Amino acid sequence: MTNKPTTPEPENLAPNQCWDLLRTTSVGRLALWVTDHPDIFPINYRADHGTVVFRTGDGTKLHAALSETPVAFEADGVSPDGGTAWSVVVKGEATAVTLNQEVMDTVGLLLFPWQDGRKDHFIRIVPSSITGRRFSVTPPLTWWSPLDDATRAGLE
């Protein structure tokens, strides 16, 4: 018998819980296939009627997103009060928002990119799957080891 504390299992989230969490933040990461390699881009986004919408300018991200290769989007968050964190992954197809009414609706989402420049393209990720999990944040003292101290000392 050991005195080792048990680690609570992560909680798998239902799709509606995932969407609720995605509505609590506005920054995530978009994973795309670019030419011959994967790449990841930070994006500002909004959850909108069971999809994820973001703005971008002309360039690598736009062209890779609109290729025939599926995309993945990930966002996460942490609750400092409750000691829990969450992560949600949306996988699916990215499509350009082109219909006039749909463009007007997405403008109303108030997507404000962090980087200046022209961000004229609205892209909608239509999910084929959405998964998420919530888990307890482990206090550093439970995973911090003498090896961590030795590594840090070698870098100083």
Side-chain angles (χ1 to χ4, degrees):
M1 211 161 132
T2 66
N3 289 336
K4 195 175 193 179
T6 59
T7 303
E9 289 294 317
E11 172 192 3
N12 291 320
L13 302 174
N16 64 315
Q17 293 173 297
C18 293
W19 288 113
D20 288 345
L21 289 168
L22 287 176
R23 287 185 199 94
T24 67
T25 187
S26 63
V27 177
R29 285 153 298 287
L30 179 66
L32 304 165
W33 190 258
V34 178
T35 311
D36 61 353
H37 62 278
D39 211 340
I40 298 174
F41 298 87
I43 61 170
N44 301 90
Y45 76 94
R46 288 284 187 241
D48 181 48
H49 296 93
T51 66
V52 172
V53 178
F54 67 95
R55 292 173 64 171
T56 190
D58 216 5
T60 302
K61 186 187 333 168
L62 174 66
H63 297 291
L66 296 180
S67 73
E68 294 184 13
T69 305
V71 303
F73 168 78
E74 189 267 344
D76 48 37
V78 65
S79 167
D81 300 333
T84 59
W86 59 269
S87 178
V88 172
V89 175
V90 175
K91 296 176 186 174
E93 181 181 351
T95 60
V97 176
T98 56
L99 298 174
N100 286 340
Q101 184 57 48
E102 203 174 342
V103 170
M104 293 306 293
D105 291 344
T106 55
V107 168
L109 294 174
L110 303 177
L111 283 163
F112 298 114
W114 284 352
Q115 186 180 24
D116 66 355
R118 291 186 66 137
K119 310 285 184 184
D120 297 338
H121 302 276
F122 287 83
I123 307 299
R124 183 180 303 280
I125 301 171
V126 179
S128 55
S129 72
I130 182 168
T131 58
R133 61 190 201 128
R134 185 179 359 248
F135 50 92
S136 297
V137 176
T138 304
L141 291 178
T142 63
W143 53 262
W144 203 278
S145 72
L147 180 58
D148 293 320
D149 290 334
T151 303
R152 188 175 56 255
L155 295 173
E156 292 176 346

